[in-house]
Amino acid sequence: MGPNGKQMTTEKSMYKGGCLCGAVRFTISGGIRNIVYCHCSLCRKAQGSAFATNGIVELEHFRFETGEAALTGYESSPGQTRYFCKHCGSPIISKNSSVPDHVRVRVGTIESDIVERPMAHIFVSSKACWEDICGDLAQYEEYEPGR
Ligand SMILES: [Zn+2]
Ligand SMILES: [Zn+2]
């Protein structure tokens, strides 16, 4: 407890993650917001799956511990670059030049137990015909409100 009886919050939870081969390792401090399941056609191809699970992390809270040089990027739409490990192909983050203050992390590469939870399915208008979306989370035709 802190001097004024409040819980000390100086020790923020630190999340760790990395790529499949282990070359790329990163840490996240300060939390993840707006975790969404994105069913758009670009995310489906980038993940090889029905959707990507992405969350926003402030740039100052995202740090590569090792292997930043093992990343390579692909600009999948103007200003939007997806970064992945050039050895194993794991998608790690994307950056958008219009919002340089944060990165979008591929949540499946995080190894720590996180306290945040997904808030919505987005771009459900682009979902694969074979996918049935289950659960009670909100579904949006395109981006979630406020983005
Ligand atoms: Zn790798
Ligand atoms: Zn997407």
Side-chain angles (χ1 to χ4, degrees):
M1 298 291 246
N4 54 9
K6 279 186 176 171
Q7 195 78 34
M8 293 288 278
T9 52
T10 47
E11 280 295 308
K12 279 186 180 153
S13 61
M14 175 83 82
Y15 299 149
K16 295 176 193 277
C19 68
L20 181 60
C21 76
V24 179
R25 303 283 311 161
F26 62 83
T27 57
I28 295 169
S29 58
I32 309 167
R33 61 186 167 87
N34 286 59
I35 298 177
V36 292
Y37 299 114
C38 186
H39 301 258
C40 84
S41 58
L42 301 179
C43 282
R44 290 198 281 119
K45 289 204 174 193
Q47 312 297 310
S49 190
F51 53 84
T53 310
N54 302 328
I56 295 173
V57 174
E58 302 307 316
L59 189 61
E60 63 188 12
H61 295 151
F62 184 91
R63 201 155 82 93
F64 287 107
E65 298 296 314
T66 61
E68 190 169 3
L71 284 179
T72 189
Y74 174 68
E75 190 173 8
S76 56
S77 41
Q80 161 102 13
T81 304
R82 295 163 186 264
Y83 292 92
F84 53 94
C85 174
K86 66 184 177 187
H87 301 298
C88 68
S90 286
I92 307 294
I93 57 170
S94 68
K95 288 184 179 175
N96 193 314
S97 57
S98 67
V99 278
D101 57 327
H102 68 235
V103 297
R104 296 188 61 79
V105 177
R106 282 37 188 156
V107 177
T109 62
I110 300 170
E111 295 151 8
S112 308
D113 289 334
I114 65 173
V115 299
E116 299 87 352
R117 291 294 179 264
M119 59 177 285
H121 296 272
I122 66 171
F123 284 93
V124 297
S125 55
S126 308
K127 79 174 185 67
C129 66
W130 44 263
E131 186 194 8
D132 285 324
I133 299 177
C134 304
D136 299 327
L137 281 187
Q139 298 186 19
Y140 300 105
E141 294 289 296
E142 295 190 351
Y143 284 117
E144 73 275 21
R147 190 136 66 95

